[in-house]
Amino acid sequence: MVAPGPVQLHPDPTGGTSGVVTKQSARSVGDTVARFVELLGSKGVKVFALVDQRAEARAVGLELRETTLVVFGNPVAGTPVMEAAPLAALDLPLKVLVWADGERGTQVSYTDPTVLAARYGLRPELAAAFEGIHGLTDALVGA
């Protein structure tokens, strides 16, 4: 098994970072998604949807690298965030993208929680609802 690679922050066209965190998984896309769903279930986190974007592209005659979006969350944590900042519902439930990069293998990407908290002006106690994504993805790529 390959050790997980370093966290990457992706540059945006303005010279900053896009606020996306990416971690490398030693597993295939399918195995990474399955492991993530299992990990979420063990933590009592609800999986709202799995979107196999490659399959959707193929359904209309197009090709796309393996790309699966996992939509998940905890209504107990997310509801107070949306109550305080209704537009946070644009980013909730949380999403993790698991995708194949031909050069680097399987990647796990998500929006940095500090970006989400800043975007909606959340108080620290509400912003904490987003922070668990770091530990979940660390556990995903680390074992």
Side-chain angles (χ1 to χ4, degrees):
M1 181 180 283
V2 177
V7 171
Q8 305 162 25
L9 291 175
H10 300 279
D12 72 19
T14 64
T17 60
S18 64
V20 174
V21 176
T22 296
K23 301 174 183 179
Q24 187 172 355
S25 172
R27 296 176 180 85
S28 68
V29 169
D31 288 347
T32 299
V33 170
R35 169 80 175 113
F36 194 48
V37 168
E38 176 184 301
L39 181 64
L40 292 169
S42 75
K43 304 283 185 190
V45 177
K46 182 176 176 94
V47 175
F48 292 101
L50 294 174
V51 182
D52 182 340
Q53 294 170 323
R54 181 184 206 183
E56 295 301 325
R58 285 182 168 171
V60 295
L62 300 172
E63 279 300 316
L64 179 67
R65 72 183 80 220
E66 285 185 277
T67 306
T68 301
L69 185 69
V70 182
V71 182
F72 65 97
N74 181 338
V76 171
T79 300
V81 171
M82 291 182 284
E83 183 64 32
L87 293 180
L90 290 168
D91 287 300
L92 292 173
L94 293 174
K95 295 154 203 75
V96 164
L97 184 67
V98 182
W99 55 286
D101 181 326
E103 295 177 11
R104 295 178 296 182
T106 301
Q107 305 296 305
V108 175
S109 300
Y110 58 93
T111 304
D112 189 321
T114 59
V115 169
L116 294 174
R119 181 178 296 159
Y120 301 110
L122 298 177
R123 298 183 315 270
E125 63 273 12
L126 289 175
F130 297 132
E131 291 296 324
I133 198 168
H134 288 311
L136 287 168
T137 56
D138 284 346
L140 173 63
V141 301

